[in-house]
Amino acid sequence: MPLKNTNIVSAAQTKFGKLEGVTLREMFAEAVDKATTQAGVPKEDIQAAFIGTFIPEMLVHQGHTAPLLLDYAGMRGLPATRHEAACASGATALRAAIMAIESGLYDTVLVAGAEKMTSVSTNRATEALAAAADDEFESGIGLTFPGVFAIAAVAHMQEYGTTEEDMALVAVKAHKNASTNPLAQFQKEITLEKALTPRYIAWPLKLFDCSPISDGAAALVLTSNEKAKQYTDTPVRIIGTGQASASMNLCDRTVLTSFEASVKASRIAYDMAGLGPKDMDFAVVHDCFTIAEIIATEDLGLFEPGEGARAVREGVTALDGDMPVNPMGGLKAVGHPVGATGVKQAVVVYRELIGEAGPNQVPRHDTAIMHNFGGTGATCVVNIMRRADA
Amino acid sequence: MSGRPSLEQYKKNIEARDFKAYKCAKCGAVIAPPVGVCYSCGGTQMEWTGVSGKGKLVSYTVIHVAPEQFQDEAPYYIGIVELEEGTRITVRLTGLDPQRPAEVKIGMPMVLDYDTGKSGRTYLAFRPA
Ligand SMILES: CC(C)(COP(=O)(O)OP(=O)(O)OC[C@H]1O[C@@H](n2cnc3c(N)ncnc32)[C@H](O)[C@@H]1OP(=O)(O)O)[C@@H](O)C(=O)NCCC(=O)NCCS
Ligand SMILES: [Zn+2]
């Protein structure tokens, strides 16, 4: 049965990128302010906060971030809990908020995510991010996140003939979409040749196959049907949600060309919504690496296994294609402040669904899917959203 | 090496270049890296077992940008190897040129090895057979 009572009524993000001189709490407060006061939702209406941050302990030496951030944003006193699931932290916070509203416990809640990553060197950030993999058996021997997805890429290339050029085309599309997104870290188009620059991070993944190290925050207000109309004429309903886990270790998977948690979480979400992949007008997927986008589009059933690369080559996933994927530029070009990402993906879906995505507006925008992925794919959250009047 | 297998001992064995896997006492499944419950039968009673040291390469990468503690060792190979005994394990790969990864073939036969890195740590490794 589709979820019945959860609406997004406002959504905002800060600019993503190297936000020199802006601290975690300052960007959090900016995103929250934009999604509440500036969007006509008084902060006094918020009853609880669900907050995604991944590794602030390692990046800015700060734990217990939920009350800290909420306090700085002027909302001291509310129940505030941090949700951590590596790169899926944001979407697990969102899911907890969905459950809180569907249960009737609250009417109106805040969902927000933030990460400050450029405070440390690239090697340091790489090490901190590696905490999302198993420290005993994989990250502990020097496997990195680009490495995890490189191993999946090599398997996908072998199994389906996917090429480095196919992956580079995902980057070209991402940078093109981000070129008209003023909140993106990279706002310049790149050529295929540039995307193929052989600066290897984890072979066969090169600089342009990777999402960057970023700072940023995003926020949403969720509310019940009864309250939604007092904030907006165009609420967006969350009608299906799914979450699944998988083995932490990549070596414990029998298949490396697909992520089983993505498949499971999406089937749960589709079943709940009573819809299938063909009903989706566009998709926002977790493209932490170019290969991750290709595999995600297959795992969500948008394309057959092994057909994701062809969809990119033929322009199907372009902004004006039949199934636009990451229409605002994705993690790849907009940036990936880890704890903010899952929330930001919902911000993108919201803006596209209500028709306020400006030059990045997709033509058909009634129903969409978002896919947020954590670590080696050990956590995946999928949500299906629809404009309430669609 | 008697007694109940432990993670600590598993790592000490690798450090001592004497790799041992877990074996499910109930169904005999060979398990590495260790898990608390056997995925074949649900058994929780584990024993130590030696392995043949033979396997084949499942997938791999060459790490160029590494975590701080490993950067001095980069570029280095990491791969997943399926042991003859059936279990898959993530390891360092030795005996391969990090500048020529395209020449490495998935499915190629591999044998157990160890690699002591600049960090002084000994890694479980496999090299082409
Ligand atoms: C790919 C990566 C290693 C590059 O870091 P780096 O080598 O320190 O790169 P630098 O910061 O020195 O940047 C060099 C240039 O490339 C650009 N750049 C950095 N990362 C980029 C990226 N991912 N894509 C495109 N351009 C990038 C920079 O803007 C800079 O451009 P400039 O010279 O014009 O100023 C780093 O971004 C990274 O680790 N990304 C993966 C993050 C990750 O794993 N996230 C979790 C996913 S699950
Ligand atoms: Zn067993």
Side-chain angles (χ1 to χ4, degrees), chain B:
Chain B
M1 196 73 44
S2 55
R4 215 183 153 79
S6 67
L7 270 182
E8 189 183 358
Q9 189 60 45
Y10 177 88
K11 290 193 290 184
K12 279 188 183 155
N13 292 346
I14 292 171
E15 196 63 43
R17 298 180 167 243
D18 182 25
F19 177 68
K20 297 259 186 303
Y22 279 27
K23 188 168 101 179
C24 172
K26 201 161 141 204
C27 77
V30 173
I31 299 168
V35 287
V37 177
C38 171
Y39 274 94
S40 301
C41 76
T44 52
Q45 210 33 43
M46 299 290 166
E47 301 168 349
W48 289 115
T49 183
V51 295
S52 69
K54 292 184 193 148
K56 63 180 193 349
L57 187 62
V58 175
S59 190
Y60 64 99
T61 180
V62 180
I63 305 292
H64 289 264
V65 176
E68 206 162 55
Q69 53 172 320
F70 302 108
Q71 189 58 50
D72 289 346
E73 298 173 0
Y76 53 85
Y77 276 92
I78 292 202
I80 296 177
V81 170
E82 183 166 310
L83 304 186
E84 203 174 54
E85 289 80 4
T87 194
R88 288 181 174 191
I89 186 158
T90 303
V91 294
R92 293 286 186 107
L93 303 181
T94 53
L96 296 167
D97 181 353
Q99 304 307 334
R100 310 174 86 92
E103 289 168 16
V104 176
K105 291 280 167 287
I106 284 182
M108 68 194 244
M110 308 291 288
V111 289
L112 181 65
D113 194 5
Y114 299 91
D115 186 22
T116 300
K118 287 188 185 133
S119 64
R121 257 197 286 183
T122 298
Y123 306 110
L124 185 63
F126 274 73
R127 62 181 152 77

Side-chain angles (χ1 to χ4, degrees), chain A residues 87 122 126 129 145-146 149 175 186 199 201 207-208 210-213 288-289 332 336 338, chain B residues 65:
Chain A
C87 314
T122 297
T126 303
L129 287 165
F145 266 91
F149 286 87
H175 281 257
F186 302 120
R199 186 175 152 205
I201 307 299
L207 177 67
F208 285 98
C210 302
S211 58
I213 289 167
C288 49
F289 299 94
K332 171 65 207 70
H336 183 21
V338 176
Chain B
V65 176

